[in-house]
């Protein structure tokens, strides 16, 4: 049950991204507009520069995004929330961004089934907040012709670091005689994302993101022995609206 519930959510998000990517593949272009082709078979001295007209430029622009997020990683909780971000593009390809994510978590059917079957409680680490900064690289742009309308988009990648606030029941989950209790935690995390910016107007765009947060955190405490920390990842899908100025 854990596996299929997670797969449904991941598959839904990936299907949306794949439709956009493969539909745009014929017109996918690198942001560098000075592509050079050598036609040696025609004339060794002739060079042809191919210019891709870019309608929506990012250089020296600010932007702000706000969106709804869905947790793709948790097996026993359903996490939802919102994400806001603001950034500045130094050039067409490079920018910086500040971001903030807040979560609301509820126990899902897998958690309830586990309690009903054997009365046990699983180890859970809930994400409450994530905030930080990252560098953004936007090497690709493209366009899709659908229903006689051309839709333009940018495809970017981000990498940075930030603060991750969580809570877990690691200290009580292995003790049946102790009431389940969640303690607040705080970690420094590695933030990575990939995003599609689909342009609606010159200023407004649809924002679709896949966000990955990685922290070094311990597992549950067993027989009063604290487990060593290990790298643990957390994934979110975000869809929202952005504004550039």
């Amino acid at each position: 049950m854990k596996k299929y519930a997670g797969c449904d959510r991941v598959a839904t998000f990936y299907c949306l991204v794949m439709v956009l990517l493969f539909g745009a593949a014929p017109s996918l272009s690198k942001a560098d507009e000075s592509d050079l082709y050598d036609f040696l078979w025609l004339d060794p001295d002739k060079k042809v520069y191919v210019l891709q007209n870019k309608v929506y430029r990012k250089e020296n622009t600010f932007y702000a995004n706000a969106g709804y997020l869905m947790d793709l990683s948790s097996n026993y909780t359903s996490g939802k929330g919102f994400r806001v971000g603001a950034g500045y593009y130094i050039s067409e390809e490079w920018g910086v961004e500040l971001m903030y994510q807040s979560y609301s978590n509820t126990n899902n059917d897998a958690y309830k089934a586990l309690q009903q079957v054997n009365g046990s409680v699983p180890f859970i680490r809930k994400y409450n907040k994530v905030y930080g900064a990252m560098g953004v690289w936007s090497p690709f742009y493209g366009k899709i012709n659908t229903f006689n309308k051309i839709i333009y988009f940018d495809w970017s990648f981000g990498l940075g670091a930030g603060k991750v606030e969580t809570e877990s029941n690691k200290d009580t989950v292995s003790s049946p005689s102790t009431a389940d209790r969640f303690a607040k935690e705080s970690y420094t995390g590695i933030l990575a994302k990939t995003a599609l910016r689909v342009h609606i107007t010159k200023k407004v765009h649809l924002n679709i993101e896949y966000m990955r947060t990685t922290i070094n955190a311990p597992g549950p405490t067993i027989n009063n022995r604290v487990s060593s920390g290990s790298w643990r990842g957390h994934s979110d899908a975000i869809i929202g609206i952005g504004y550039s100025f």
Side-chain angles (χ1 to χ4, degrees), residues 130-187:
V130 177
Y131 49 93
M134 62 177 65
V136 179
W137 178 45
S138 183
F140 302 108
Y141 69 91
K143 54 188 175 182
I144 311 170
N145 188 351
T146 57
F147 304 106
N148 294 322
K149 180 177 176 60
I150 298 176
I151 300 173
Y152 296 86
F153 71 89
D154 290 278
W155 182 14
S156 64
F157 305 87
L159 182 65
K163 206 69 175 176
V164 182
E165 297 183 9
T166 66
E167 56 181 298
S168 78
N169 59 349
K170 67 180 181 64
D171 295 329
T172 59
V173 66
S174 64
S175 177
S177 60
T178 305
D180 195 38
R181 184 180 69 255
F182 284 81
K184 294 186 179 300
E185 306 167 330
S186 181
Y187 303 97

Side-chain angles (χ1 to χ4, degrees), residues 85-150:
Y88 175 74
Y89 270 101
I90 303 167
S91 67
E92 281 298 310
E93 294 190 8
W94 293 98
V96 292
E97 179 178 302
L98 300 176
M99 53 78 62
Y100 174 86
Q101 293 181 181
S102 181
Y103 300 80
S104 175
N105 300 281
T106 57
N107 296 333
N108 61 17
D109 291 339
Y111 178 94
K112 297 173 184 177
L114 187 64
Q115 279 195 315
Q116 292 174 356
V117 171
N118 55 21
S120 63
V121 175
F123 168 61
I124 297 175
R125 174 168 281 117
K126 301 177 183 179
Y127 274 56
N128 294 330
K129 296 177 182 178
V130 177
Y131 49 93
M134 62 177 65
V136 179
W137 178 45
S138 183
F140 302 108
Y141 69 91
K143 54 188 175 182
I144 311 170
N145 188 351
T146 57
F147 304 106
N148 294 322
K149 180 177 176 60
I150 298 176

Side-chain angles (χ1 to χ4, degrees), residues 27 29-30 32-35 50-55 57 141 143:
S27 60
S29 305
K30 192 175 184 298
D32 183 5
E33 298 180 0
S34 58
D35 293 331
V50 178
L51 180 65
Q52 295 286 345
N53 294 324
K54 197 166 188 181
V55 178
R57 295 187 173 275
Y141 69 91
K143 54 188 175 182

Side-chain angles (χ1 to χ4, degrees), residues 2 8 28-29 37 46 55 57 61 73 76 87 92 98 116 156 160 162 166 168 179 221 233-235:
K2 297 185 295 180
D8 286 344
L28 192 63
S29 305
Y37 290 86
K46 298 295 183 182
V55 178
R57 295 187 173 275
T61 62
S73 297
Y76 296 103
E92 281 298 310
L98 300 176
Q116 292 174 356
S156 64
T166 66
S168 78
T221 300
H234 180 91
S235 300

